[in-house]
Amino acid sequence: MTQNEWKYRIAYLGPEASFTYLATKEIFPNEWIIAYRTIPECIDAVTNDMVDYAVVPLENALEGTVPLTIDYLFHEANLFIIGEIKLKIQQHLMVNKAQKDHWEKIEGIYSHPHALAQCHKYLFYRFSHVPLHQTTSTAEAAKMVAENPDKCIAAIGNASSAEKYGLEIVEKNIHDFHFNHTRFVILSKHNTRLPIENSDGQPKTMLMLTLPHDDSGALHQVLSVFAWRKLNLSKIESRPLKTGLGNYFFIIDVLADENEPMMEWAFEELRALGCTVKSLGTYYTYNATE
């Protein structure tokens, strides 16, 4: 298939064989996918019409929200979420095949900061003396280890990256907890949504809002807007507004369609309370098979 035959251009956090790559290929197996080195570069590519969509990590079951994604969507971009992919995460320790007989003497371990954190217990008890180095993605770490056969270093990442870059997996499933999944979101300039087919069928709307004041009970008032309308919240989290200590905005996931009457009335009441409300759109969740 040539570039002219592809319908969409999709940016993803690369390089090839990253977890984001696997999630992207799950939803867009036959589209033109383009690797970017950082999450802001992926988001900017959509904003500047270089691509149609971007796929970036949003939240990990062990390490929580990816702050860079949330903060960039709030402060820098005006995009919408049109779909969400849930991918099982399995982290492995891998080395260059030239070093496979000496892997227990590794002098450095490289990976994405979330991957390093997901394997904290293993690294603490097994390699507490070894320096940890952060990379922009797990696949970037694997690529670097592959390009340095003379160095006794290791990467943490998935089996696909080991295969792609010709590395030897020396320890499998080193993440601290069995249930390790990551949510990836598909971003667009347009408030649309992917088809409901093959999804979980549950509409979800992500809101970003700021409170009107610091009076006691302000957050309770906001939550009451959803509670008495029986709108279920699957997540609420605060992030710094970057305007001073104690100033926050809130991320709220509502299990409802933003076009439902109850949601529209909730928006009206929130604004009447003095809140600023930004909806990132309604979308469905797709479970990856990887």
Side-chain angles (χ1 to χ4, degrees):
M1 183 177 288
T2 66
Q3 293 182 6
N4 292 332
E5 294 174 307
W6 282 312
K7 186 176 180 181
Y8 300 112
R9 301 159 298 165
I10 297 97
Y12 72 94
L13 178 61
E16 187 175 337
S18 66
F19 284 108
T20 313
Y21 170 85
L22 298 179
T24 305
K25 290 295 288 184
E26 186 77 20
I27 300 298
F28 302 105
N30 300 312
E31 299 298 342
W32 182 12
I33 65 172
I34 306 166
Y36 287 83
R37 291 193 68 253
T38 68
I39 289 172
E41 286 177 7
C42 292
I43 295 175
D44 286 344
V46 181
T47 301
N48 297 325
D49 294 317
M50 298 167 65
V51 297
D52 301 292
Y53 307 133
V55 180
V56 293
L58 179 72
E59 182 182 23
N60 176 260
L62 305 187
E63 289 305 305
T65 295
V66 179
L68 187 55
T69 299
I70 288 294
D71 290 351
Y72 213 79
L73 288 175
F74 182 83
H75 293 285
E76 306 292 340
N78 186 26
L79 300 178
F80 298 94
I81 300 174
I82 64 169
E84 173 184 271
I85 312 157
K86 189 184 295 182
L87 179 71
K88 184 176 182 180
I89 304 297
Q90 294 178 302
Q91 303 286 14
H92 311 304
L93 187 71
M94 55 194 73
V95 299
N96 195 293
K97 289 185 177 180
Q99 300 290 339
K100 66 179 181 180
D101 295 330
H102 315 288
W103 71 270
E104 293 182 322
K105 298 178 181 179
I106 53 178
E107 300 171 349
I109 300 174
Y110 295 76
S111 197
H112 187 275
H114 267 214
L116 294 172
Q118 291 163 26
C119 305
H120 169 75
K121 290 182 180 180
Y122 171 84
L123 295 172
F124 178 78
Y125 290 109
R126 191 70 177 79
F127 293 105
S128 60
H129 63 288
V130 177
L132 305 179
H133 304 277
Q134 297 183 359
T135 58
T136 55
S137 71
T138 55
E140 182 68 29
K143 185 172 181 287
M144 190 194 69
V145 170
E147 293 171 348
N148 291 275
D150 296 332
K151 294 183 179 180
C152 193
I153 55 177
I156 294 175
N158 59 54
S160 293
S161 63
E163 180 179 357
K164 169 66 180 177
Y165 299 106
L167 303 183
E168 184 83 12
I169 295 178
V170 292
E171 292 274 88
K172 293 184 177 181
N173 298 322
I174 63 172
H175 41 282
D176 295 337
F177 297 94
H178 175 70
F179 186 86
N180 190 14
H181 287 71
T182 293
R183 298 167 60 196
F184 299 86
V185 288
I186 305 163
L187 303 174
S188 171
K189 287 182 72 172
H190 308 289
N191 190 10
T192 58
R193 63 189 75 175
L194 295 182
I196 194 172
E197 289 78 18
N198 302 318
S199 75
D200 63 1
Q202 171 65 62
K204 181 189 294 184
T205 303
M206 180 181 290
L207 306 179
M208 293 180 169
L209 61 85
T210 59
L211 301 181
H213 44 66
D214 293 327
D215 292 347
S216 299
L219 180 58
H220 179 268
Q221 282 185 308
V222 167
L223 296 179
S224 296
V225 169
F226 301 102
W228 77 262
R229 290 184 171 87
K230 300 188 183 301
L231 294 169
N232 189 26
L233 307 185
S234 61
K235 177 180 179 176
I236 179 169
E237 180 178 351
S238 62
R239 288 290 303 158
L241 265 175
K242 305 183 188 299
T243 58
L245 288 173
N247 299 330
Y248 300 93
F249 70 93
F250 291 85
I251 307 106
I252 299 177
D253 285 344
V254 189
L255 299 182
D257 192 312
E258 67 178 354
N259 296 321
E260 293 178 12
M262 283 295 185
M263 283 287 283
E264 292 179 346
W265 296 333
F267 292 156
E268 289 185 15
E269 185 173 351
L270 289 171
R271 294 185 181 106
L273 289 171
C275 298
T276 59
V277 185
K278 178 182 181 180
S279 173
L280 271 66
T282 297
Y283 53 93
Y284 303 107
T285 301
Y286 306 83
N287 291 306
T289 57
E290 288 285 346

